[in-house]
């Protein structure tokens, strides 16, 4: 009844001991417990001469009672001192009679019950043995149940703690799952940790491995959020120095421990009395840290805080790394979207330019509308220089504006006038702060228009300002660098449009005079049509080169492109003596005709004495080519840079090219410059889009695998999931996953597919390709002569498989 009422281990022992002492009428009784794993005897209940004794655990005495019981599992009765084997327990007396009964449960000896008599020999017979044996049998089961209950309670308590931790982590992960913004995730985790740990002193830091710099993303001290500058490099001997070496948490519960582990105080912050800091690991790299401090007492942190913080750091690593990658992808997507939108806008303007060659108004209207949209402006005005005035040509937006044709004075006291006169962009963030002495005219205009932020960009033609674009906002919000750059592009287009109209009008006038000019314009239109049909850069080179050769009766033509980043001149199109040549790229030198054209953006025409001109410019003949008789070099100009040139050559005749030839070539070069820049922007946009699409695809694959892994707990199921996903993604039906058992010199194949068929093979010897990957710890790629490589590393074909043509092996590291 007592055993049934008790589940506490020691209480059961005491109950049985007290009851036996009462029933047997003795004050000399002991109950011991044997810890098989530790090989120790624990004396749970020992009474001698009526006094309870405390005896420390000791190993079983050789040949003693317990060792004898462990061997034969039978009771021991020693009725005279002469029968005693193994001596007494240290600290106890020698009795005259002794009976020891084994406590057995689940076929194991758990301990023993012993009674002694210090007054007479032959004190115990069958009745005592029978009673003790019966009680020992019951006691074995009860004590084993109690021990299991104690262990269950301990595990239950640990599980409760773990559940509490998981609840915290789950609530955090739910927040993480809802967030993809990098800083938002950091703030969410920081706020949650402050709440859970009831602390006002917590930090989350990020380590930029490339820059070797620490960013302080979330810093609270004494309940106040503080801003800490980027630390580059990390503080010598500080926590990140430690993490990069051993990746172990730092538990500094005293000033002495913190000093010994390299703890340092950030300038401008206080020194704490206790500190706990754990690394955040992502993709096998230290990417940051979580840190808590206590400024009031030492020994403030223990194992539970360390365990929970370490667990959270592990979850946070993946979330932050994913958020960082998502931020990068979003940033790239935004950049690409902006680039595409800008390209679309500039393309729209160019189409209007092409469709309105004689009317400037539609072009400038299109520029004003697109500038207002992309620069998020309330008002856009475009002016042309008309003597000492600025005549408004077009206006877009709701702000009060000048009437069409109305003018402003071209003076430095007006923001627009100063931009034109100084040929530079002027950005006024708040017009209410304009200086009355510097901008008196603009202050008057501000009172009339009530605008707050404005920017004026000049329209430049060959370095001369011919007008300006003015963009205004009715609130104080400065323009971004991208918007300022975009305005420069629109200004260039407006200048080109104005100049194109002037050129077109001039061309029309000349066409009325001469049929030759008529033919030239027809040629230009045909080239522009070819350019409009091409967005591929090489296609533009070929289209323009072929058209120029056709126009000039198959004269030799060369197109050269200058890459400012590499300082290389490329020759995508080059004809000499009627044969197309492949010329290797060459560095641009400081001297020569080519360098002069790129540097000055001037057209060079040499119709005689070409050898003397070559000497004058200190030019070098391109290897594999000959010197010409006549030559024209026309630069391809974009903005204020010569991006390339067109050369027209005659190998047989001097004075081969007229002014009209040069003029026509210059016009073709202008058209080609715009087409090439558009094609370059299109190629760059396509490249960035492709990179983003590939990265998005990679992330989608990774996320799908991770989602599968999270749902799997069985290892073989994980092997199957990863193998099938790789087969699907890589479009391969020949994949295996190998596990290396290095101590036993074995390689196991939990997943093996060949030609789309799954099969199993026995473990192989740890050699060949597997050992090569293990020893090098590097990805192995063999794309040719696979049998030769296998022979080199001592590799054999797996039983039941065939020789492959190509092989890649990637190590699984832990």
């Amino acid at each position: 009844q007592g055993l049934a009422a008790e589940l506490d281990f020691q209480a059961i022992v005491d109950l049985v001991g007290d009851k036996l002492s009462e029933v047997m009428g003795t004050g000399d009784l002991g109950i011991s417990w044997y810890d098989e794993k530790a090989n120790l005897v624990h004396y749970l209940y020992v009474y001698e001469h009526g006094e309870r004794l405390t005896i420390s655990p000791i190993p079983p005495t050789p040949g003693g009672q317990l060792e004898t019981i462990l061997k034969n599992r039978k009771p021991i009765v020693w009725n005279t001192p002469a029968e005693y084997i193994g001596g007494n327990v240290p600290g106890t007396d020698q009795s005259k009679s002794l009976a020891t009964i084994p406590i057995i449960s689940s076929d194991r000896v758990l301990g023993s019950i012993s009674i002694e008599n210090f007054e007479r020999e032959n004190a115990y017979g069958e009745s005592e043995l029978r009673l003790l044996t019966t009680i020992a049998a019951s006691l074995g089961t009860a004590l084993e149940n109690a021990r299991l209950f104690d262990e269950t309670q301990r595990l239950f308590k640990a599980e409760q703690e773990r559940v509490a931790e998981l609840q915290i982590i789950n609530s955090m992960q739910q927040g993480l799952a809802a967030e993809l913004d990098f800083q938002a995730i950091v703030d969410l985790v920081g706020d949650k940790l402050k709440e859970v740990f009831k602390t006002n002193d917590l930090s989350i830091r990020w380590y930029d491995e490339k820059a070797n710099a620490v960013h302080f993303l979330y810093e609270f001290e004494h309940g106040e959020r503080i801003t800490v500058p980027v630390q580059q490099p990390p503080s010598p001997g500080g926590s990140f120095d430690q993490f990069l070496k051993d990746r172990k948490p730092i538990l500094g519960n005293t000033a002495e421990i913190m000093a010994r582990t390299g703890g340092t105080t950030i300038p401008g912050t206080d020194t704490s009395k206790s500190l706990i800091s754990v690394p955040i690991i992502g993709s096998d790299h230290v990417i940051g840290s979580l840190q808590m401090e206590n400024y009031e007492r030492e020994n403030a942190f223990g194992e539970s805080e360390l365990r929970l913080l370490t667990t959270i750091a592990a979850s946070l690593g993946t979330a932050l790394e994913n958020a960082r990658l998502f931020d990068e992808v979003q940033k790239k997507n935004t950049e690409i979207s902006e680039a595409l939108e800008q390209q679309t806008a500039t393309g729209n303007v160019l189409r209007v330019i092409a469709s309105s060659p004689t009317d400037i108004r539609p072009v400038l209207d299109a520029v004003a509308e697109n500038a207002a949209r992309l620069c998020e402006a309330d008002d856009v005005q475009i002016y042309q220089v008309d003597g000492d005035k600025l005549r408004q040509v077009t206006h877009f937006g709701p702000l009060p504006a000048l009437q069409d044709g109305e003018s402003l004075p071209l003076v430095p006291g007006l923001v627009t006038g100063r931009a034109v006169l100084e040929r530079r962009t002027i950005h006024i963030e708040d017009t209410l702060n304009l200086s009355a002495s510097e901008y008196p005219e603009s202050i008057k205009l501000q009172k009339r228009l009530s605008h707050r932020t404005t920017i004026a960009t000049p329209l430049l033609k060959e370095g001369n300002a011919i007008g300006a674009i003015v963009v205004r906002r009715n609130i104080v919000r400065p323009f971004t660098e991208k918007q300022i750059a975009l305005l420069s592009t629109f200004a260039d287009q407006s200048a080109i449009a104005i100049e194109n109209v002037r050129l077109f009008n001039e061309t029309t006038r000349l066409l009325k005079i001469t049929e030759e000019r008529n033919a030239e314009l027809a040629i230009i239109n045909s080239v522009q049509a070819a350019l409009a049909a091409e967005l591929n850069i090489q296609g533009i080179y070929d289209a323009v080169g072929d058209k120029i050769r056709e126009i000039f009766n198959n004269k030799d033509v060369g197109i050269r492109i200058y890459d400012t980043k590499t300082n290389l001149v490329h020759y995508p199109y080059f004809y000499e003596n009627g044969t197309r040549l492949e010329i290797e790229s060459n560095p641009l030198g400081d001297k020569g005709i080519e360098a002069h054209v790129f540097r000055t953006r001037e057209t060079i025409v040499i119709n005689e004495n070409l050898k003397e001109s070559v000497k004058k410019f200190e030019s070098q003949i391109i290897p594999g080519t000959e010197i010409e008789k006549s030559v024209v070099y026309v630069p391809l100009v974009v903005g204020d840079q010569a991006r390339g040139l067109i050369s027209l050559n005659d190998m047989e005749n001097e004075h081969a090219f007229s002014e009209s030839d040069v003029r026509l070539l210059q016009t073709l070069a202008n058209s080609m410059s715009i087409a090439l820049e558009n094609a370059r922007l299109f190629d760059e946009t396509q490249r960035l889009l492709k990179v983003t699409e590939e990265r998005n695809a990679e992330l989608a694959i990774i996320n799908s695998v991770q989602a599968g892994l999270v749902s799997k707990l069985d290892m073989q199921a994980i092997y199957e999931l990863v193998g099938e996903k790789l087969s699907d993604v890589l479009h391969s039906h020949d994949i295996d996953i190998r596990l290396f058992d290095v101590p036993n010199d074995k390689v196991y194949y939990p997943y093996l597919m060949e030609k789309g068929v799954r099969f199993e093979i026995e473990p192989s010897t740890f050699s060949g390709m597997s050992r090569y990957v293990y020893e090098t710890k590097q990805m192995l790629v063999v794309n040719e002569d696979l049998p030769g490589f296998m022979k080199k590393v001592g590799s054999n074909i797996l039983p039941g498989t065939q020789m492959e043509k190509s092989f890649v092996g990637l190590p699984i590291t832990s």
Side-chain angles (χ1 to χ4, degrees):
Q1 288 175 355
L3 294 177
E6 280 291 351
L7 277 174
D8 179 74
F9 187 80
Q10 187 61 46
I12 290 176
V13 173
D14 291 345
L15 182 148
V16 172
D18 292 346
K19 198 67 177 177
L20 280 174
S21 294
E22 176 188 340
V23 170
M24 306 292 289
T26 180
D28 303 290
L29 185 140
I31 300 175
S32 63
W33 185 263
Y34 176 56
D35 183 348
E36 187 175 9
K37 290 182 180 179
N39 192 34
L40 290 175
V41 180
H42 298 264
Y43 297 91
L44 307 178
Y45 185 97
V46 178
Y47 270 85
E48 186 173 273
H49 309 308
E51 296 291 330
R52 187 159 187 170
L53 305 180
T54 299
I55 301 173
S56 299
I58 58 174
T61 304
Q65 301 172 43
L66 185 61
E67 193 170 90
T68 302
I69 288 172
L70 290 172
K71 288 180 180 179
N72 56 34
R73 304 191 181 189
K74 294 181 179 180
I76 297 172
V77 179
W78 292 332
N79 275 319
T80 66
E83 297 178 34
Y84 278 66
I85 299 173
N88 299 330
V89 175
T92 64
D93 297 337
Q94 173 73 56
S95 61
K96 293 185 178 180
S97 300
L98 175 142
T100 299
I101 308 299
I103 301 172
I104 298 175
S105 178
S106 301
D107 201 33
R108 287 190 304 113
V109 175
L110 305 179
S112 66
I113 301 175
S114 299
I115 59 172
E116 298 182 84
N117 195 303
F118 291 87
E119 299 174 354
R120 60 190 179 91
E121 297 180 349
N122 299 301
Y124 304 116
E126 288 297 324
S127 62
E128 290 85 0
L129 286 180
R130 186 168 57 250
L131 175 60
L132 287 175
T133 300
T134 303
I135 291 171
S138 300
L139 183 60
T141 302
L143 286 178
E144 182 68 1
N145 288 344
R147 185 188 67 79
L148 291 174
F149 182 77
D150 274 0
E151 179 67 12
T152 301
Q153 290 295 93
R154 183 186 68 78
L155 293 174
F156 181 69
K157 183 179 179 182
E159 183 63 22
Q160 284 180 320
E161 292 177 354
R162 184 64 181 152
V163 167
E165 291 176 2
L166 286 173
Q167 287 174 342
I168 294 168
I169 293 167
N170 286 339
S171 68
M172 226 172 256
Q173 287 179 333
Q174 287 173 358
L176 294 179
E179 281 289 352
L180 277 174
D181 178 70
F182 184 76
Q183 187 61 47
I185 289 178
V186 172
D187 291 345
L188 182 148
V189 172
D191 293 345
K192 192 67 178 179
L193 286 175
K194 283 178 60 196
E195 175 189 338
V196 169
F197 288 106
K198 298 178 175 61
T199 181
N200 286 321
D201 305 289
L202 185 136
S203 68
I204 301 175
R205 298 167 186 177
W206 184 262
Y207 176 60
D208 184 345
E209 187 175 13
K210 290 182 179 178
N212 192 29
V214 178
H215 298 263
F216 298 84
L217 306 179
Y218 186 97
E219 292 290 323
F220 269 83
E221 182 175 276
H222 308 308
E224 296 291 330
R225 188 158 190 171
I226 60 176
T227 301
V228 181
V230 175
Q231 202 174 69
Q232 186 179 24
S235 177
S239 58
F240 274 96
D241 263 7
Q242 297 292 321
F243 294 151
L244 293 172
K245 291 176 184 175
D246 55 26
R247 302 189 181 186
K248 294 180 180 178
I250 295 172
L251 186 60
N253 269 324
T254 65
E256 179 186 352
I257 293 174
M258 283 193 281
R260 191 169 65 245
T261 56
T264 57
T265 301
I266 298 170
T269 66
D270 298 337
T271 302
S272 59
K273 294 186 176 180
S274 300
L275 174 146
I276 182 172
S277 185
V278 299
I280 300 172
I281 309 294
S283 302
D284 201 34
H285 291 277
V286 175
I287 61 174
S289 70
L290 285 175
Q291 183 166 302
M292 283 197 304
E293 298 182 73
N294 192 300
Y295 292 88
E296 298 173 356
R297 59 189 177 93
E298 295 185 341
N299 299 300
F301 306 114
E303 289 298 322
S304 60
E305 290 88 355
L306 181 62
R307 182 176 63 250
L308 179 55
L309 211 59
T310 302
T311 305
I312 291 169
S315 299
L316 187 59
T318 302
L320 284 179
E321 188 68 4
N322 286 344
R324 184 186 66 79
L325 292 173
F326 183 79
D327 270 2
E328 286 185 4
V329 172
Q330 290 295 91
K331 184 179 178 182
K332 286 290 184 186
N333 281 340
T334 301
E335 290 175 357
I336 290 170
S337 296
E338 290 176 353
L340 286 172
E341 191 173 13
Q342 291 176 15
Q343 185 182 352
T344 300
T346 55
N348 289 338
V349 174
L350 289 173
R351 278 193 291 274
V352 177
I353 292 174
S355 63
S356 303
T358 61
D359 188 358
I360 192 64
R361 184 59 184 265
V363 176
L364 298 183
D365 286 347
V367 168
E369 182 179 352
N370 283 284
R373 178 170 55 84
L374 294 180
C375 294
E376 302 171 292
D378 297 302
D379 186 77
V380 176
Q381 290 169 304
I382 300 179
Y383 295 90
Q384 266 189 280
V385 174
D386 187 3
D388 60 353
K389 296 183 180 300
L390 291 169
R391 180 170 52 85
Q392 178 181 283
V393 183
T394 191
H395 164 256
F396 181 89
L399 287 178
L402 304 177
Q403 297 299 316
D404 284 349
E406 190 176 347
S407 299
L408 295 175
L410 180 54
V411 293
L414 188 72
V415 169
T416 308
R418 182 164 297 195
V420 171
L421 293 171
E422 297 182 1
R423 298 187 300 281
R424 65 182 179 95
T425 296
I426 297 179
H427 183 196
I428 305 299
E429 295 186 1
D430 189 353
T431 55
L432 293 184
N433 296 330
L434 286 172
S435 166
S437 60
E438 193 174 8
Y439 291 107
E441 299 296 333
S442 283
I443 291 175
K444 294 178 185 177
L445 190 64
Q446 193 278 332
K447 290 179 180 178
R448 176 180 173 182
L449 303 181
S450 301
H451 60 283
R452 295 296 298 275
T453 298
T454 187
I455 185 170
T457 298
L459 309 182
L460 299 177
K461 170 187 168 291
E462 297 178 355
N464 297 316
I466 61 173
I469 297 179
V470 182
V471 180
R472 299 186 175 99
R473 286 175 176 158
N474 56 15
I475 60 171
V476 177
R477 184 158 65 92
F479 295 92
T480 66
E481 290 183 5
K482 288 184 178 179
Q483 289 169 337
I484 295 171
L486 182 60
L487 276 177
S488 295
T489 302
F490 283 134
D492 290 340
Q493 288 183 327
S494 299
I496 290 170
I498 293 171
E499 180 63 9
N500 280 356
V501 169
R502 188 190 68 79
L503 288 174
F504 188 87
N505 290 335
E506 180 67 11
T507 302
T508 302
R509 185 182 66 82
L510 293 174
L511 279 173
K512 293 176 181 178
I513 300 171
T514 174
E515 287 296 321
E516 182 183 13
R517 191 58 179 153
N518 228 352
E520 290 179 4
L521 280 175
I523 293 167
I524 292 167
N525 289 335
S526 68
V527 171
Q528 288 180 331
L531 293 178
E534 283 287 350
L535 272 176
N536 175 269
I537 291 180
Q538 187 59 47
I540 291 175
Y541 299 145
D542 293 340
V544 173
D546 291 344
K547 183 60 71 175
I548 293 174
R549 293 190 71 241
E550 177 186 339
I551 293 167
F552 291 98
N553 301 316
N554 292 323
K555 290 261 190 318
D556 294 327
V557 174
I559 299 176
R560 310 181 191 187
I561 300 298
Y562 176 49
D563 186 344
T564 56
K565 293 181 180 179
T566 62
N567 194 41
L568 289 177
V569 178
H570 306 283
Y571 303 82
Y573 189 95
F574 201 96
Y575 269 82
E576 186 175 275
N577 292 320
T579 301
R580 186 160 184 172
L581 304 180
E582 297 293 331
I583 307 294
E584 292 187 1
S585 302
N586 292 306
L588 179 64
D590 296 327
K591 300 175 182 179
I593 300 174
E594 181 183 74
H596 179 81
V597 173
F598 282 127
R599 186 169 56 253
T600 65
R601 304 188 298 280
E602 293 178 359
T603 296
I604 299 293
V605 181
I606 305 173
N607 267 325
E608 60 183 6
N609 301 322
L610 194 58
K611 289 184 179 180
E612 293 179 10
S613 297
V614 168
K615 290 180 181 179
K616 174 185 172 184
F617 284 99
E618 298 182 67
S619 282
Q620 299 292 327
I621 303 299
I622 297 172
T625 68
E626 302 172 8
I627 193 164
E628 309 89 344
K629 295 288 186 179
S630 301
V631 66
V632 180
Y633 289 90
V634 177
L636 300 172
V637 179
V638 177
D640 60 351
Q641 288 185 332
R643 299 286 180 84
L645 63 82
I646 300 175
S647 63
L648 185 60
N649 314 317
D650 192 300
M651 307 300 292
E652 299 174 354
N653 306 302
E654 290 189 338
H655 301 284
F657 304 113
S658 65
E659 289 182 7
S660 61
D661 293 333
V662 175
R663 188 170 61 248
L664 176 58
L665 197 60
Q666 287 175 323
T667 306
L668 294 175
N670 289 337
S671 300
M672 184 178 178
S673 297
I674 297 170
L676 284 176
E677 183 64 6
N678 286 344
R680 186 187 67 79
L681 291 172
F682 182 82
D683 278 359
E684 181 64 10
T685 302
Q686 292 297 97
R687 184 187 67 80
L688 290 173
L689 185 60
K690 183 178 179 182
V691 169
T692 301
E693 288 174 343
E694 290 175 351
R695 188 60 186 150
N696 285 339
E698 291 175 10
L699 287 174
I701 292 164
I702 293 168
N703 288 337
S704 67
V705 171
Q706 287 180 335
L709 294 179
V710 167
S711 67
K712 301 291 186 182
L713 288 176
D714 175 64
M715 280 305 300
Q716 187 59 41
I718 291 176
Y719 298 142
E720 299 288 337
L721 171 69
V722 174
E724 290 170 4
K725 181 59 69 175
L726 286 174
S727 177
D728 180 49
V729 170
L730 300 177
H731 309 294
S732 174
H733 301 298
D734 302 88
I735 290 179
D736 68 72
I737 298 175
R738 309 181 184 186
L739 299 180
F740 301 157
D741 183 354
V742 180
N744 295 314
D745 198 35
K746 294 288 186 183
V747 178
Y748 295 88
Y749 301 83
Y751 183 94
L752 195 151
M753 177 187 287
E754 183 167 275
K755 294 186 176 180
V757 178
R758 282 292 313 282
F759 61 95
E760 298 179 357
I761 63 171
E762 293 296 321
S764 67
T765 304
F766 186 40
S767 62
M769 308 278 241
S770 295
R771 181 168 286 277
Y772 183 91
V773 171
Y774 171 78
E775 291 176 348
T776 62
K777 297 183 177 65
Q778 299 292 325
M779 178 169 63
L780 171 62
V781 180
V782 184
N783 271 325
E784 59 185 13
D785 191 23
L786 185 58
F789 184 87
M790 290 177 64
K791 184 177 181 181
K792 177 181 175 183
V793 299
S795 187
N796 297 315
I797 298 174
L798 295 176
T801 69
Q802 300 177 14
M803 174 64 73
E804 306 90 344
K805 295 289 188 181
S806 304
F807 173 92
V808 61
L810 186 70
I812 302 173
T813 60
S814 173

